Amino acid sequence: MRTEYAVGVDVGGTRIAVGLVERKGRILKEAKRLTPQGGPFAVVDGIIECVQDVVSNVHPSEIAGVGIGLPAQIDFLRQSVEFCTNLPLAGVDVRSLVMSRLRHEITIDNDGHLAAFGESRFGVAKGARDFIMITIGTGVGGGMFVGGEPYRGSRGMGSEIGHMVIQMDGPPCPCGGNGHIESYLGRPALAAKGKEVASTFKGRAILEAAGGDLDAVTAEAVVKAALGGDEAATRVLMEAGVILGRALVGLVNLLNPQLIVVGGGIGESASFMVERAAEVIAEEALAGRRDVRVVQAELGNDAGVLGAAVLAFDEHDAREGLHR
Ligand SMILES: [Zn+2]
């Protein structure tokens, strides 16, 4: 049976967002709450309550399933949470816990993968068969589509673009490694760079954007100052753009994608950084691959919910033998 709705769940370190989504990508009803901080069962309860809220007026037979995006490394085949730095979910059987209390099929996946799913079906990557999505926020993640299909790797844990090494013995990454993309472009790294500049005379616009408090300088304050025309803040983002571009050159040379989508809270707002990265790729990628388009994501805050709903629809249709 072809169902009309799916539920998309986007679980972040600070907030849970859930949406009842139509096949065409319209979010009909939403529920949001802060992510409970009281341990894994509190998080699971939060997910269940939000889902119950959005499906309250819909017959269960009309719902394809529930997709859940987690900021975690997921073994997609076993549907298990292997690692999770921001939430206490590693080793927790999130899928079974949720499924035991909801009458729907549940599928979990990594949030970066799901952002790529969302952009692929409803956003800027519609129709692109070979593209790379990189999400830049507190963490740096992503997803890849190869030949029209999501690339998952042997256990479904592939596409951790944020943890590619770009500098030997570079700064520590939250994952425990060193010199990874996330060590340079994640919110904490950009905030640290912003603070460094804000403590000098040149960085006064960044300091102002943080309300005059050096300790309150965030990545967002740097972006805000740059968008307001400040030179020092723009330079911080341009340097980040060079790092992003260099990292992407390797992927462009390896995979020859037609499109690169930059998303996440920072990726979608820091247009300077994305434009600089595109220039670096145009200058440094191997000849014949330089026509790759580099664009900002389109789905904004809804990317996680929409991507999770796409996963739920696709898993449902695969179970039922339906074609997209
Ligand atoms: Zn890392």
Side-chain angles (χ1 to χ4, degrees):
M1 196 176 76
R2 197 170 164 88
T3 47
E4 293 307 314
Y5 313 107
V7 178
V9 180
D10 179 18
V11 182
T14 50
R15 136 206 118 122
I16 297 173
V18 177
L20 178 69
V21 181
E22 280 182 329
R23 277 196 183 262
K24 283 183 179 164
R26 197 154 63 102
I27 299 174
L28 297 177
K29 193 173 177 191
E30 264 190 295
K32 282 178 190 163
R33 57 176 300 165
L34 292 176
T35 306
Q37 301 299 318
F41 295 107
V43 177
V44 168
D45 285 346
I47 294 171
I48 290 167
E49 281 161 25
C50 286
V51 174
Q52 284 170 334
D53 186 10
V54 303
V55 301
S56 57
N57 293 322
V58 184
H59 194 273
S61 67
E62 290 183 285
I63 293 178
V66 179
I68 303 177
L70 298 169
Q73 290 191 46
I74 310 285
D75 184 325
F76 189 76
L77 298 180
R78 291 168 53 200
Q79 284 287 290
S80 60
V81 183
E82 299 291 308
F83 303 101
C84 190
T85 39
N86 292 325
L87 292 170
L89 296 177
V92 176
D93 191 351
V94 174
R95 178 175 180 265
S96 299
L97 286 171
V98 175
M99 204 143 80
S100 67
R101 286 168 54 195
L102 293 173
R103 285 182 297 167
H104 302 292
E105 283 289 339
I106 313 288
T107 313
I108 64 171
D109 203 349
N110 166 270
D111 53 3
H113 280 183
L114 293 183
F117 272 67
E119 293 293 337
S120 162
R121 191 70 50 85
F122 303 125
V124 73
K126 218 170 168 178
R129 291 178 59 78
D130 296 276
F131 76 93
I132 294 166
M133 169 110 206
I134 178 165
T135 57
I136 305 174
T138 303
V140 178
M144 300 189 296
F145 272 64
V146 177
E149 294 294 328
Y151 177 81
R152 293 188 176 281
S154 64
R155 291 172 64 192
M157 296 164 75
S159 306
E160 282 289 358
I161 293 166
H163 301 282
M164 293 198 316
V165 177
I166 53 168
Q167 172 79 54
M168 200 167 72
D169 302 325
C173 181
C175 75
N178 282 87
H180 295 179
I181 295 179
E182 187 172 310
S183 340
Y184 295 90
L185 302 183
R187 274 199 182 89
L190 290 177
K193 191 79 195 159
K195 274 180 196 160
E196 196 185 305
V197 178
S199 66
T200 67
F201 179 71
K202 277 184 187 165
R204 60 196 181 282
I206 298 175
L207 192 61
E208 235 169 69
D213 178 1
L214 188 61
D215 289 333
V217 170
T218 56
E220 273 75 9
V222 177
V223 173
K224 190 177 165 196
L227 293 175
D230 179 61
E231 206 174 307
T234 304
R235 191 168 310 126
V236 171
L237 293 181
M238 291 294 218
E239 282 168 12
V242 172
I243 292 167
L244 175 62
R246 292 257 164 85
L248 291 173
V249 163
L251 285 173
V252 167
N253 289 346
L254 181 70
L255 295 165
N256 185 206
Q258 67 199 101
L259 181 71
I260 293 170
V261 183
V262 186
I266 298 298
E268 281 183 37
S269 55
S271 49
F272 294 112
M273 182 176 74
V274 177
E275 283 158 21
R276 188 71 193 101
E279 285 169 9
V280 170
I281 293 167
E283 287 158 13
E284 298 186 17
L286 289 173
R289 292 159 171 79
R290 294 175 187 162
D291 59 349
V292 59
R293 286 192 305 130
V294 183
V295 297
Q296 288 176 284
E298 269 183 5
L299 299 179
N301 287 334
D302 294 334
V305 165
L306 289 173
V310 170
L311 175 72
F313 279 127
D314 286 0
E315 291 296 310
H316 168 272
D317 293 355
R319 281 194 302 275
E320 302 275 317
L322 297 170
H323 291 289
R324 290 208 290 273

